Amino acid sequence: MTLVLALLFVLFLLMGLPIAIVIGASTMAALQAGGVPLMVVPQQMFSGINSFALVAVPMFVLAGDILAQGEISKRLIAFADSMLGFIRGGLSVVSVLAGVFFAAISGSGAATTAAVGASLVPELKRKGYDPASAASLIAAAGTIGVVIPPSVPMIIYAVIAQESVKSLFLAGFVPGIAMGAGLMIIAVIQGYRRAYPSGTALSLKTIVRTFLSASWGLMAPIIILGGIFSGIFTPSEAAVVAVNYAILVSLFIYRDLTIRGLYQIILRAGVTTAVILFVIAASSVLSWALASWQVPNAIATFALSLSDSIFVLLLVIMVLILVTGIFLETASALIILTPMLLPLAAQLGIDTVHFGIIIVVGLAIGMVTPPVAINLFVASSTTDQPVERIARAVVPYLIVLVMVYLLIAYLPLLLGW
Amino acid sequence: MLEALRWVDRAVGAVLGPVVVAGMVALTAVITLQIVSRVFFTSVSWTEEVARFLLIWITFLGAALAFQQGRHIAVKLLRDSLPPTLRRLMTGAGILVTIAFLATLTWIGSTYMSMQSFQKSPSLRIPMNNIYLVMPLAAALMAFLSLIDLAKLLAGEQSRDDKPESVE
């Protein structure tokens, strides 16, 4: 049955069918062939998405989409510029810092890329930065969007792994900041090599002024994350608070959002959510089938028969995650990989939260690796640079992200956390 | 004939859009109520249940809308690199697989719904088949849209415009 499933899955995937249909159709055919009553399909599809924790997905997508447009992102970037703009090549360093700021508001890599790209790229071009390279750096910084909380992939992982969303969010800060730091180092080196100009002079007055002007935007992560970590809100509730806050600020304070515009944003967020959750629903059936055929355990046993070294096996797992991230979109890859790899991770003694970080960061890197590289596509459409040029320019950032990835995965093991 | 099909196709999208938006607004409202009532008054018991049911409805109807807009995530690399004739064959085979899956889903979805007709939700005592109805409904809608795709393909038209979806 597993063979039927695997063959049909690959066949339907290559035929270019929607992922949810690929998963649903191949699983259904395998269940039918295995003589399993098909009633398990609706049952598992419903139970897969009948979860209050998943309510956070549409709400964080919506809040991020509202905050990404207009004034809030412009003011956040001005604040980032006042602090780091003075460095040579400062504007590209600023685009990374803006990505880090935005990551604490948005739960998605594409939204982070779009928000930073739309506001910064015209400026970068005007100051003589190489546009493809600037766009690729913004795309690379966009990956931090799903590592620093809030994060839609972390919510999905937490639901599948039955872990708390809060613990995953807490574990995301350090890796996210490490990714940002790595990218900034490359940006500074390139700034000197390419003799980029330095921007805004460092002055306390400018910092204070831009800080105050950005305060509505800077309050958002304080409310969202502060509310979650202090235990006032559950993550799902915090996401709704973020939506209300974003709507109030955009409609009444900055007044850069019309009701018609809001309708369009809600519609887009609803469809985006449905696309993700429909894949989750379909793959709940897949996970059920795989578990009943003992596949995850077989994977674990097979892997442990190859090697008993946690370091070697972790490397194999990470390569598998990166390769999957190259060909599949983040949410789908996450939903398929997590249930298959969790038993192996548990047998290796890797903490469930740490494993979540490993899988989310690995798939985040997949957002800038073609052919399926959502951040590169978003960066390309916001900057009018061809994807091919951005894909070539992203290589140095990709290398540094992979180096940080190795560090994130292995350092806790070496230190015995 | 094709003109009429296109009109029906667009009508499905035009009806589903406001429904999905209404679901999203209701979801926001019900959890806002949950927070406000817990912080200022006593917590209401039914909000989580309503939120979960709304999420289920948004998922299935939104999936049908995404289908109409051609926004589901797919890996189209191989298909798009094929010569036109082969690509049309593969697209046709894909539509047939899709229709077979969605028709089966409609059938088992409605069977499941009628099997659960005596079950009531724990908090609000809503009959659960009201919730389960959305699966056969959305699956039937998507199967119907696939039939339109098939008709268009046989008439030699372009397939549903696929755009990459920005989701993480």
Side-chain angles (χ1 to χ4, degrees), chain A residues 19 50 237 272 367 374, chain B residues 34 38 52 73 165 167-168:
Chain A
I19 301 278
N50 190 3
E237 289 173 344
T272 305
M367 293 174 185
I374 184 71
Chain B
Q34 168 171 323
R38 195 193 51 227
R52 281 187 283 113
I73 313 146
E165 172 49 12
V167 286
E168 264 67 56

Side-chain angles (χ1 to χ4, degrees), chain A residues 129-156:
Chain A
Y129 285 76
D130 173 46
S133 181
S136 71
L137 179 59
I138 291 168
T143 62
I144 302 170
V146 297
V147 181
I148 290 182
S151 156
V152 169
M154 282 184 191
I155 298 165
I156 296 173

Side-chain angles (χ1 to χ4, degrees), chain A residues 58-70:
Chain A
M59 293 296 120
F60 274 131
V61 169
L62 179 55
D65 280 357
I66 298 172
L67 292 169
Q69 52 101 41

Side-chain angles (χ1 to χ4, degrees), chain A residues 108-111 113-114 139-140 142-143 146 272 325-326 328-331 363-382 387 390, chain B residues 73 163-168:
Chain A
S108 119
T113 308
T143 62
V146 297
T272 305
I326 291 175
L328 280 185
E329 166 279 336
T330 314
L363 293 176
I365 294 174
M367 293 174 185
V368 290
T369 52
V372 184
I374 184 71
N375 285 11
L376 296 188
F377 295 132
V378 172
S380 163
S381 70
T382 41
V387 176
I390 300 181
Chain B
I73 313 146
K163 295 166 219 91
E165 172 49 12
S166 55
V167 286
E168 264 67 56

Side-chain angles (χ1 to χ4, degrees), chain B residues 94-157:
Chain B
I95 294 175
L96 291 178
V97 170
T98 307
I99 292 175
F101 168 67
L102 291 170
T104 317
L105 199 61
T106 311
W107 170 61
I108 54 177
S110 47
T111 315
Y112 185 72
M113 189 182 97
S114 54
M115 274 167 54
Q116 306 290 331
S117 57
F118 298 107
Q119 198 194 344
K120 289 211 166 74
S121 73
S123 172
L124 278 181
R125 315 297 303 158
I126 311 168
M128 284 303 284
N129 50 10
N130 286 323
I131 317 304
Y132 296 146
L133 165 71
V134 74
M135 177 191 276
L137 181 66
L141 272 173
M142 289 188 275
F144 175 70
L145 292 170
S146 304
L147 283 173
I148 296 183
D149 285 345
L150 192 63
K152 280 189 185 162
L153 184 80
L154 293 175
E157 281 198 22

